[in-house]
Amino acid sequence: MAKGRILYVSQEIMPFSEESATAYMGRYLPAKIQEMGRDIRVFMPKFNNVSERKHQLHEVIRLSGMNLIVNNCDHQLLIKVGSIPTARMQVYFIDNEEYFMGHPAPTEADGTLDDRSDERLLFFGRGTLEAVRKLAWQPHLVNFMGWFSSMIPFYLRRINKENAFFSGTKLVITLMDDNFKGDIGGELERKMKTDGATAKDLRLYGETNYLGLMKSAITYSQGVIIGSPNANPELVAFAKENKRNVLDYIDDRDEFYTRINKFYDTITGKIEN
């Protein structure tokens, strides 16, 4: 079995987030893959329901402090880190006073979006990859899950135009049951354009509801994991119709994680460590 470096990006991870299918997968999949011998890094947003005191988070000074431009304005990127001792696993948090400290979750309590969700989405996607680049830790594969991570493919391509750090990095999206209501807003296209989006990018991200964002992320990915029995069937069909490598969901978690580990090898091919 090839080893290799896997970057996990999830919008929720237990115990930092309330229990959900996505938070459970975000917690146990990376830990299991690490046990199987791979090198991992794990990132999530620092929503304000993540207690810094309870989870003993601290800022990573050497990674923090850069400014990211979103909607033609500078926004400071803060990186914090916490650990899950029982899993011997660290989790890095993407934070910003304006975008995350006033928000407890990706959506409002009723499942709708706030009026700055588009900017928060862009900041998290780019901030995660910029932090990984500052770590000087080049992943062979990025496994992202949850709609809040759906801009990872766009920014990976954008960063590679300026710097080939992620050259050869493969993308795998895990589809969960995480639908949001409504549309992220008509300003996303304009804000992506100011951040280097090409005409092809803008065509893919023309639909900014849940299905549109996820279909765009699937299009840019080499592999698709069906991470929940309740994953949107239209997205599952879309992945298969577009001939993506698809790993179907099974109930046995240990066996499922073992299959995911083998699936990564299918996507990356032979890895020279």
Side-chain angles (χ1 to χ4, degrees), residues 176-271:
M176 305 301 297
D177 177 20
D178 63 332
N179 185 43
F180 62 80
K181 299 176 183 177
D183 192 285
I184 205 165
E187 291 292 292
L188 180 64
E189 180 177 329
R190 178 183 63 78
K191 293 171 185 177
M192 287 178 67
K193 191 172 182 179
T194 63
D195 213 359
T198 64
K200 180 180 178 181
D201 293 321
L202 297 177
R203 284 196 299 271
L204 283 175
Y205 287 93
E207 297 286 337
T208 57
N209 56 15
Y210 175 76
L211 288 175
L213 288 179
M214 300 306 281
K215 285 181 179 180
S216 301
I218 289 169
T219 299
Y220 278 132
S221 299
Q222 287 77 44
V224 180
I225 297 169
I226 313 305
S228 166
N230 300 314
N232 188 289
E234 185 174 339
L235 294 178
V236 175
F238 179 83
K240 294 181 177 180
E241 288 166 3
N242 284 273
K243 303 188 185 306
R244 293 297 177 268
N245 287 296
V246 176
L247 181 67
D248 288 314
Y249 176 83
I250 62 171
D251 286 325
D252 185 323
R253 288 195 175 108
D254 285 339
E255 176 61 23
F256 190 34
Y257 296 159
T258 298
R259 292 187 185 186
I260 290 174
N261 195 44
K262 293 178 180 178
F263 184 69
Y264 292 154
D265 292 336
T266 300
I267 301 300
T268 61
K270 184 177 180 181
I271 294 174

Side-chain angles (χ1 to χ4, degrees), residues 19-242:
E19 185 171 354
S20 68
T22 303
Y24 188 97
M25 178 78 85
R27 157 66 176 86
Y28 287 100
L29 174 59
K32 190 69 174 179
I33 297 302
Q34 181 174 245
E35 289 176 6
M36 294 177 182
R38 301 199 191 253
D39 189 11
I40 68 164
R41 296 293 185 274
V42 184
F43 280 77
M44 71 171 285
K46 169 56 178 71
F47 295 116
N48 73 350
N49 62 344
V50 178
S51 171
E52 295 194 30
R53 178 178 295 181
K54 176 181 177 181
H55 298 295
Q56 299 181 6
L57 305 190
H58 62 274
E59 187 174 349
V60 186
I61 302 298
R62 68 187 178 95
L63 299 180
S64 291
M66 76 169 73
N67 285 336
L68 302 182
I69 298 175
V70 177
N71 195 24
N72 291 318
C73 295
D74 284 345
H75 300 274
Q76 188 177 42
L77 174 63
L78 302 175
I79 311 294
K80 298 173 182 176
V81 68
S83 63
I84 305 176
T86 55
R88 295 183 295 111
M89 185 172 87
Q90 285 189 322
V91 176
Y92 291 91
F93 294 85
I94 299 297
D95 200 2
N96 172 269
E97 182 174 356
E98 186 176 0
Y99 287 141
F100 295 110
M101 292 185 184
H103 300 275
T107 63
E108 304 293 343
D110 61 358
T112 59
L113 304 171
D114 67 44
D115 59 3
R116 300 196 73 183
S117 289
D118 55 350
E119 294 183 22
R120 295 165 65 214
L121 194 70
L122 294 170
F123 185 89
F124 177 64
R126 183 174 174 197
T128 296
L129 295 179
E130 292 288 2
V132 172
R133 190 165 64 161
K134 288 195 75 173
L135 276 172
W137 184 85
Q138 186 178 25
H140 294 102
L141 182 145
V142 181
N143 187 173
F144 59 104
M145 63 188 78
W147 69 267
F148 204 79
S149 66
S150 62
M151 298 307 297
I152 290 291
F154 165 66
Y155 278 111
L156 189 141
R157 285 168 52 84
R158 179 201 180 283
I159 288 171
N160 270 347
K161 289 178 182 177
E162 302 172 354
N163 184 304
F165 181 82
F166 292 103
S167 178
T169 298
K170 305 299 184 183
L171 289 165
V172 169
I173 181 172
T174 299
L175 298 179
M176 305 301 297
D177 177 20
D178 63 332
N179 185 43
F180 62 80
K181 299 176 183 177
D183 192 285
I184 205 165
E187 291 292 292
L188 180 64
E189 180 177 329
R190 178 183 63 78
K191 293 171 185 177
M192 287 178 67
K193 191 172 182 179
T194 63
D195 213 359
T198 64
K200 180 180 178 181
D201 293 321
L202 297 177
R203 284 196 299 271
L204 283 175
Y205 287 93
E207 297 286 337
T208 57
N209 56 15
Y210 175 76
L211 288 175
L213 288 179
M214 300 306 281
K215 285 181 179 180
S216 301
I218 289 169
T219 299
Y220 278 132
S221 299
Q222 287 77 44
V224 180
I225 297 169
I226 313 305
S228 166
N230 300 314
N232 188 289
E234 185 174 339
L235 294 178
V236 175
F238 179 83
K240 294 181 177 180
E241 288 166 3
N242 284 273

